[in-house]
Amino acid sequence: MSELPELPPAAPYDALLLLSFGGPEGPDDVVPFLENVTKGRGIPRERLEEVGQHYFLYGGVSPINAQNRELLAALRKDFADTGLDLPVYWGNRNWAPYLTDTLREMAQDGRKRILTLVTSAYASYSGCRQYRENLADAIETLRAEGIEPPRVDKLRHYFNHPGFVEPMVEGVLTALQELPESVRDGARIAFTTHSIPTSAADTSGPVEGHGDGGAYVAQHLDVARIIAGRVREATGVDRPWELVYQSRSGAPHIPWLEPDICDHLEDVHGAGAPAVVMAPIGFVSDHMEVVYDLDTEAKAKAEELGLPVVRSATVGADPRFVAGLRELVLERAEAERGVPGAERCALGALGPSHDLCPAGCCPARTPKPAAAGTD
């Protein structure tokens, strides 16, 4: 009897989709982009133009698309260098290249089963479920056009994968060295992430973990503890740290996660902190929320207070992060093929996240169909 041919390492997948938020690439794009982001909310154009001032400070260009191009190129190079024959495509939620157009291209290229990498490491509605809804919408559009879409799966949350955590540890250590030596050992660490409504945080992740910040807060706290512990081991200094929030955009009467980074800087300065390292662990790259809310707004607050602050780097296209993403692709492929004993790397106390989002995970206020999950 002849032996069965050996399957490719990424089988059953024949492509990877990099799925991100998108951003404007010129002044004329800003308001149309914000209209896409806020579609269905009835926000007047005048308010969008006001919000768009953050983008106009940078020539109407968000850094996110350039950063995704860099990550896309790094993934393709890493795959080629390691012999992983898996094409990588890129699509966005809110700006070109749009997800639906990319999924159509993948179908026309003959892709039958694809794996999706979302540029959000943590569980939340906006960081996971909404992307799954976007995938479902795109799939339905293709079917309405008479195009058979590929089957779509999604990589697990990678917040505690070594490839994501280790570059951030190095980033904090590097940032500490940028502080004056006289304040370095007394510096606090403010781990920052995007604020979301407390109601969304409380229902993030699987149902059994809902309440009191849900998986969103628990996952960030776990990563913060890992990094703080590694920094303590490397420096011999046990530094105070907190998880704080930034980039709030909701109505004032709706509770969002707090404290805000600027309020936090005021509080720790008042308590006598000599310096602060801002570590944006909630973000994959230095996009607008990082360069405006931290590098511009928070640093202006610190300067006003006379408080030395530095900001540590996000992972971006760090080779360790890119290699970690490849490991996650191969891990999921092995799981789908039923390979026994496949290694699932994870640091901290929470362990590896689920491959398939369970029913009730990160629910929307208005239920909508979602792909790559059980509901």
Side-chain angles (χ1 to χ4, degrees):
M1 182 182 294
S2 61
E3 293 185 3
L4 292 173
E6 185 177 344
L7 291 172
Y13 299 108
D14 54 16
L16 177 68
L17 168 63
L18 173 64
L19 177 55
S20 193
F21 193 81
E25 300 203 71
D28 293 340
D29 296 346
V30 172
V31 172
F33 161 74
L34 292 173
E35 287 173 337
N36 288 343
V37 174
T38 61
K39 186 176 180 180
R41 300 185 203 171
I43 298 176
R45 184 180 180 89
E46 294 76 17
R47 173 58 180 155
L48 296 181
E49 290 174 347
E50 181 183 334
V51 172
Q53 293 306 313
H54 295 179
Y55 292 94
F56 292 130
L57 287 173
Y58 300 91
V61 179
S62 168
I64 194 169
N65 279 357
Q67 290 159 7
N68 279 324
R69 290 187 185 98
E70 184 181 1
L71 180 57
L72 183 72
L75 284 164
R76 287 171 172 166
K77 183 178 186 304
D78 177 271
F79 287 6
D81 290 348
T82 58
L84 180 58
D85 184 14
L86 189 71
V88 188
Y89 296 73
W90 169 37
N92 289 325
R93 171 187 291 169
N94 296 303
W95 202 249
Y98 287 104
L99 168 60
T100 300
D101 296 335
T102 301
L103 200 64
R104 184 185 298 109
E105 178 187 359
M106 297 177 84
Q108 291 170 344
D109 286 349
R111 310 304 174 193
K112 301 298 183 185
R113 188 168 180 187
I114 66 173
L115 193 52
T116 304
L117 160 64
V118 172
T119 55
S120 175
Y122 301 85
S124 69
Y125 171 73
S126 58
C128 183
R129 172 82 192 199
Q130 191 173 7
Y131 282 110
R132 292 176 49 223
E133 292 175 355
N134 299 149
L135 286 165
D137 288 343
I139 288 168
E140 187 59 32
T141 297
L142 264 58
R143 286 183 174 145
E145 294 172 357
I147 299 172
E148 182 59 32
R151 175 176 166 179
V152 178
D153 290 332
K154 176 183 171 294
L155 279 178
R156 66 175 170 95
H157 302 300
Y158 47 84
F159 64 93
N160 56 2
H161 192 282
F164 185 64
V165 175
E166 288 167 3
M168 293 192 292
V169 173
E170 182 180 295
V172 172
L173 291 170
T174 299
L176 284 166
Q177 292 302 311
E178 295 172 10
L179 287 169
E181 188 174 358
S182 59
V183 298
R184 190 176 302 153
D185 284 352
R188 303 177 76 101
I189 306 174
F191 295 105
T192 77
T193 190
H194 208 300
S195 184
I196 61 175
T198 56
S199 58
D202 291 347
T203 56
S204 58
V207 172
E208 59 270 20
H210 285 182
D212 196 22
Y216 186 75
V217 172
Q219 290 171 359
H220 281 87
L221 285 173
D222 201 41
V223 172
R225 290 189 194 99
I226 298 166
I227 297 173
R230 294 283 185 90
V231 170
R232 181 177 62 249
E233 292 170 6
T235 64
V237 178
D238 190 9
R239 303 172 190 282
W241 63 267
E242 295 84 16
L243 176 64
V244 302
Y245 302 92
Q246 60 176 91
S247 313
R248 175 182 172 137
S249 59
H253 68 281
I254 297 175
W256 282 52
L257 293 173
E258 295 178 338
D260 177 78
I261 178 62
C262 290
D263 295 337
H264 176 70
L265 293 177
E266 286 190 345
D267 289 344
V268 297
H269 176 259
V276 174
V277 171
M278 301 184 295
I281 62 173
F283 305 91
V284 169
S285 64
D286 289 4
H287 51 64
M288 188 57 69
E289 282 83 356
V290 176
V291 299
Y292 181 80
D293 297 328
L294 294 183
D295 294 350
T296 304
E297 196 170 50
K299 285 191 176 180
K301 170 58 69 174
E303 185 174 345
E304 172 191 316
L305 296 168
L307 176 67
V309 300
V310 290
R311 196 262 293 174
S312 65
T314 53
V315 298
D318 186 285
R320 291 163 292 184
F321 178 49
V322 174
L325 294 174
R326 168 172 39 85
E327 291 171 8
L328 286 166
V329 168
L330 295 175
E331 169 203 294
R332 181 61 180 274
E334 289 183 348
E336 293 298 315
R337 296 199 306 270
V339 176
E343 184 178 6
R344 293 170 61 83
C345 290
L347 302 174
L350 298 181
S353 186
H354 47 261
D355 282 336
L356 196 64
C357 291
C361 192
C362 305
R365 283 179 293 178
T366 303
K368 290 183 61 178
T374 56
D375 70 340

